[in-house]
Amino acid sequence: MNFSEWVHTALLAVIQGLTEFLPISSSAHLILPSQLLGWPDQGLAFDVGVHVGTLIAVMFYFRHELSRMTAAWCRSLSGHADADGLLAWLVILATLPSLVAGFMFGWLVDHYGRSILVIAATTLIFGVLLGWADMKRTERRTSEGLGLREAGFIGLAQALALIPGTSRSGITITAALMLGFDRQTAARFSFLLSIPVILGAGSLKGIELYQEGNGTHWLQVGVGTLIAGFSALACIHLFLKWLDRVGMKPFVVYRLLLGVLLLLVYFANPGDLL
């Protein structure tokens, strides 16, 4: 690998680590460098690696909550219910719509959903929706208000993130804010929901990698995994720390500017960017 390839590796890993949890769409930002800048595809193994990095980061950050939830979930199987056990069940419930949507419509998104025009449209539409939800929020509910109905609604919203540009964290936070939850509860539940989703996506890609065979540059994958993990960990910490202070406005403005830029690029070269 030459120097420019290492630069691409580092930047793409940082992009994955940051955008996986910020409400600005990781898939859009990983698609755009190749389409706009002509960067080569880093390969399936690299994709698996950066997903593993972000997964480790979120699981490490919420390690205490996950430990309590896992123990409580196991106790719930024998009839001993508590708040942590309920939260574990709600995460499972809210994950199901994404699994169904991915199984039924994943091929459709792969064929038709990865154009810059689609990314621009979803970036703008769901950016406006996020801004509206944040402005109209009531913040009358905390994590104690999470129930089956709320988890189901947020899970259905998460399924929309199958479309590139939507942002998994953005749409789940939007849904939670629309239900009246405070920002911290919305963000934390969104991050917990990311764990089974990233695990599932990474596992499928891992199976593809195994079937693909050898030829992987493992040093590149390892570096990408580390960079994605550390950038994701920093992103989660700073996002939750500053969330109540800055709100969603910076991310909404960013999405609107990005969406407009993508439309300008598309209409300048519509035939090359489908």
Side-chain angles (χ1 to χ4, degrees):
M1 290 180 62
N2 56 39
F3 178 74
S4 64
E5 290 175 324
W6 281 113
V7 171
H8 294 168
T9 295
L11 289 178
L12 287 173
V14 170
I15 289 172
Q16 171 66 28
L18 295 179
T19 59
E20 184 66 50
F21 301 106
L22 294 179
I24 55 176
S25 177
S26 62
S27 57
H29 286 77
L30 290 173
I31 290 171
L32 294 180
S34 62
Q35 294 207 24
L36 292 182
L37 303 177
W39 288 8
D41 186 358
Q42 298 299 306
L44 183 59
F46 178 81
D47 202 4
V48 173
V50 293
H51 275 82
V52 170
T54 55
L55 178 64
I56 292 173
V58 69
M59 291 183 69
F60 177 79
Y61 190 88
F62 290 100
R63 61 193 182 279
H64 301 303
E65 290 91 334
L66 289 175
S67 177
R68 294 196 305 269
M69 289 168 61
T70 302
W73 182 81
C74 292
R75 290 195 301 270
S76 73
L77 296 177
S78 59
H80 300 283
D82 60 21
D84 289 322
L86 174 61
L87 182 58
W89 280 111
L90 294 179
V91 169
I92 294 172
L93 171 65
T95 303
L96 295 179
S98 293
L99 296 178
V100 174
F103 179 77
M104 295 181 62
F105 305 112
W107 65 273
L108 189 63
V109 173
D110 288 338
H111 280 82
Y112 303 107
R114 295 185 177 274
S115 74
I116 284 189
L117 185 59
V118 170
I119 295 171
T122 53
T123 297
L124 290 168
I125 292 170
F126 291 108
V128 170
L129 187 61
L130 174 63
W132 177 83
D134 193 48
M135 286 189 297
K136 298 295 184 180
R137 73 189 188 282
T138 59
E139 297 199 335
R140 66 183 186 276
R141 309 173 76 179
T142 60
S143 58
E144 287 76 15
L146 277 168
L148 295 177
R149 187 181 307 172
E150 291 79 11
F153 180 75
I154 296 172
L156 289 172
Q158 180 174 243
L160 294 174
L162 189 67
I163 307 170
T166 300
S167 171
R168 191 211 58 80
S169 62
I171 194 63
T172 50
I173 290 173
T174 297
L177 292 175
M178 290 171 64
L179 291 172
F181 289 98
D182 61 74
R183 287 169 172 164
Q184 287 290 329
T185 298
R188 286 180 173 274
F189 190 62
S190 172
F191 291 161
L192 289 174
L193 284 181
S194 73
I195 295 173
V197 171
I198 299 174
L199 181 60
S203 297
L204 289 176
K205 291 180 181 295
I207 294 173
E208 291 180 34
L209 178 62
Y210 176 78
Q211 295 173 341
E212 190 177 83
N214 297 323
T216 299
H217 197 299
W218 291 109
L219 180 58
Q220 177 201 23
V221 174
V223 170
T225 300
L226 287 174
I227 293 175
F230 281 114
S231 59
L233 189 62
C235 173
I236 295 169
H237 174 72
L238 294 176
F239 182 77
L240 291 175
K241 181 179 180 181
W242 294 339
L243 179 58
D244 290 327
R245 188 185 313 169
V246 303
M248 296 297 165
K249 185 176 180 180
F251 307 107
V252 173
V253 171
Y254 174 81
R255 290 184 67 126
L256 295 180
L257 292 175
L258 177 61
V260 170
L261 174 62
L262 292 176
L263 287 177
L264 292 175
V265 171
Y266 172 80
F267 285 112
N269 303 279
D272 300 329
L273 298 170
L274 288 173

